[in-house]
Amino acid sequence: MTSTGGGVSRSRGAWWREGAITAAAFAFCLLGGVMRVDDTLSAPPAAAYLVAVVSCAVLPVRHRAPSAALAATTAAGVLVAPLGLLLTPLIVAPAVITAYSYALTARTERRAASAVLLTSAALAASIPLSGDFSWKDASRTAVVAAVPLVAGVLGHSVHNRRAYLTAVEERARRAEESRDSEARRRVAEERVRIARELHDLVAHQITLANAQATVAAHLFDTRPEQTRKSLQELVETTAGALDDLRATVGLLRQSGDPSTPAEPAPGLSRLPALVESFRRAGLQVSVDQEGTARPLPPGVDLTAYRIVQEALTNVTKHAGTGNARVRLLWSREHVTVTVTDDGKDSPTAPSAPTPPGTSTTPDRPPGYGLIGLRERATAAGGDLFAGKRPEGGFLVRTRLPLPPAKDTTRRADGAPATEGPPARAATGDAEDGVTP
């Protein structure tokens, strides 16, 4: 027995199971001893008790020593006929049980077949060797020989089934690991590709612009005409750099994406409108805030909004519940955003958030929403956790840094106050999905 509570429960359950099997086998042995050779019934003789005790005593050790248990129960079955008892499948029940256990644990199929066939042959041969042999004895011999074979076939089938399930679980575990590593590899390759494109297309113009600005600053007082010429060249160089940057960022869009005008980047100030949109879709969302709200930098504000948006989207798609909770905890240095639901876990529900529009059907590749959300939180200087809750449902929690406290006022509608004009989306990421 183990020292842990779960181990103790499992050990007690195993002992109860073994005790029940042994008691049932003992009862079958005595029931077989009731039947006599002359087709009459009488109380089990002492020989029946002897066979039952000897053959059933080795049953508890059949898992640790299956060969010895099979040999002992077979020997006890062979002695049934010489002791004047009627050899039936009931009285050799321990040998049938050990044949099943041996076939279940045998290392090779050939070894299991050889042992079970030897047991069947030994039991069948003990009937004609014990005396007169009639047609009734022949039919009984066939039954006694067939029962261990059937038990062996069942044991081998269960062994193959367990091996198959183990292999399936191992393949599923390896596929999950390879899928996660493939997602990380693709994200890393895409990041390197974008960085290479930006460097190759923009680095030259930025370096040239820096040199032209340095020349203009140096000649500003002594050579105004030369300064004007350098500034004109600087304007042309920066315009070309902007064109190249716009073309590179445009590669990140699909060819059929509509060219929408730039809008202010969303933030937590739009949280009431976001919650209302989900309520219209049938999801009841409650919002709780603790602490004093403060203005967030545009990037952090956008990150918090997108994480809430993506988490609520996945609740609507996968959680199987109509309720969700959003909690904002404001402290001196951080704001913690938590989105939870109490949906029922199901085999088809994803174990991690996926971006809007990502298919979860088995014939399509998995999305990388969780990786994108975590990268957003990391880029904003925070962290993100997502996983199943012990009490059921799913949880997404991110902690983002706050700027030094300057203005801790709160607007009348309960949303955090903002300072200055709203930030505008530069590359279209604010309007598109969550995944970078």
Side-chain angles (χ1 to χ4, degrees):
M1 288 190 182
T2 59
S3 59
T4 60
V8 171
S9 300
R10 287 192 297 269
S11 298
R12 289 177 179 175
W15 279 110
W16 278 107
R17 184 171 59 254
E18 290 300 325
I21 292 175
T22 303
F26 187 81
F28 282 137
C29 287
L30 294 184
L31 184 60
V34 170
M35 293 181 290
R36 310 298 297 169
V37 177
D38 55 357
D39 296 332
T40 60
L41 301 178
S42 62
Y49 282 97
L50 176 62
V51 171
V53 170
V54 172
S55 58
C56 292
V58 299
L59 288 181
V61 300
R62 69 186 187 279
H63 299 296
R64 294 190 297 270
S67 301
L70 182 60
T73 54
T74 302
V78 171
L79 294 177
V80 169
L83 291 176
L85 301 173
L86 183 65
L87 184 62
T88 62
L90 291 177
I91 203 169
V92 294
V96 175
I97 295 174
T98 53
Y100 171 85
S101 299
Y102 186 87
L104 184 64
T105 58
R107 295 182 179 179
T108 62
E109 183 177 353
R110 177 179 297 180
R111 181 177 296 183
S114 300
V116 173
L117 286 174
L118 183 61
T119 298
S120 179
L123 293 176
S126 64
I127 296 179
L129 295 179
S130 61
D132 296 336
F133 189 75
S134 63
W135 66 270
K136 291 184 177 180
D137 294 329
S139 60
R140 191 157 39 86
T141 301
V143 174
V144 171
V147 171
L149 295 178
V150 173
V153 171
L154 290 177
H156 183 65
S157 299
V158 173
H159 173 78
N160 291 340
R161 179 64 177 174
R162 290 180 180 178
Y164 171 75
L165 293 178
T166 301
V168 169
E169 292 176 357
E170 180 65 17
R171 286 198 299 269
R173 184 185 64 81
R174 292 182 179 179
E176 185 70 21
E177 293 178 354
S178 62
R179 183 170 59 186
D180 293 341
S181 61
E182 178 68 13
R184 289 191 294 268
R185 184 187 65 81
R186 290 185 180 181
V187 171
E189 289 181 353
E190 186 67 12
R191 187 185 298 114
V192 171
R193 187 187 69 81
I194 295 173
R196 187 187 305 114
E197 293 289 339
L198 291 175
H199 177 272
D200 294 343
L201 295 175
V202 181
H204 172 70
Q205 287 89 338
I206 296 300
T207 303
L208 182 58
N210 180 71
Q212 291 169 344
T214 303
V215 172
H218 181 70
L219 301 176
F220 183 80
D221 294 326
T222 58
R223 300 181 183 178
E225 293 298 328
Q226 187 67 27
T227 301
R228 185 177 295 106
K229 181 179 179 181
S230 297
L231 291 177
Q232 183 63 32
E233 294 175 352
L234 176 60
V235 170
E236 296 175 357
T237 301
T238 53
L242 289 175
D243 291 338
D244 290 340
L245 181 60
R246 187 178 300 109
T248 302
V249 174
L251 294 176
L252 302 179
R253 286 183 174 270
Q254 299 293 333
S255 59
D257 289 345
S259 56
T260 56
E263 297 179 0
L268 291 182
S269 60
R270 296 192 185 181
L271 187 57
L274 177 66
V275 170
E276 184 61 28
S277 66
F278 281 98
R279 286 174 179 168
R280 289 195 299 269
L283 179 66
Q284 296 300 319
V285 184
S286 61
V287 181
D288 300 322
Q289 295 198 55
E290 295 183 19
T292 303
R294 302 218 306 270
L296 295 175
V300 177
D301 206 13
L302 173 62
T303 297
Y305 178 87
R306 289 302 189 197
I307 290 176
V308 173
Q309 181 186 46
E310 173 63 15
L312 293 178
T313 300
N314 281 283
V315 172
T316 304
K317 293 168 59 178
H318 306 298
T321 181
N323 298 283
R325 292 169 295 279
V326 179
R327 183 170 179 264
L328 305 177
L329 177 60
W330 300 84
S331 63
R332 180 180 298 273
E333 298 179 351
H334 298 90
V335 57
T336 302
V337 182
T338 306
V339 181
T340 58
D341 67 82
D342 54 358
K344 298 180 180 179
D345 298 333
S346 65
T348 59
S351 60
T354 56
T358 299
S359 174
T360 57
T361 55
D363 57 339
R364 297 186 181 181
Y368 310 114
L370 180 58
I371 298 176
L373 290 179
R374 184 170 288 111
E375 287 187 347
R376 278 187 178 273
T378 303
D383 54 47
L384 181 137
F385 168 81
K388 295 180 179 179
R389 304 168 62 202
E391 61 271 24
F394 205 83
L395 175 144
V396 176
R397 180 175 61 242
T398 182
R399 188 177 66 168
L400 302 173
L402 289 175
K406 292 182 180 180
D407 182 10
T408 59
T409 60
R410 184 187 293 269
R411 291 202 330 225
D413 58 357
T418 57
E419 295 179 342
R424 302 188 66 86
T427 65
D429 180 66
E431 299 89 28
D432 292 341
V434 174
T435 307

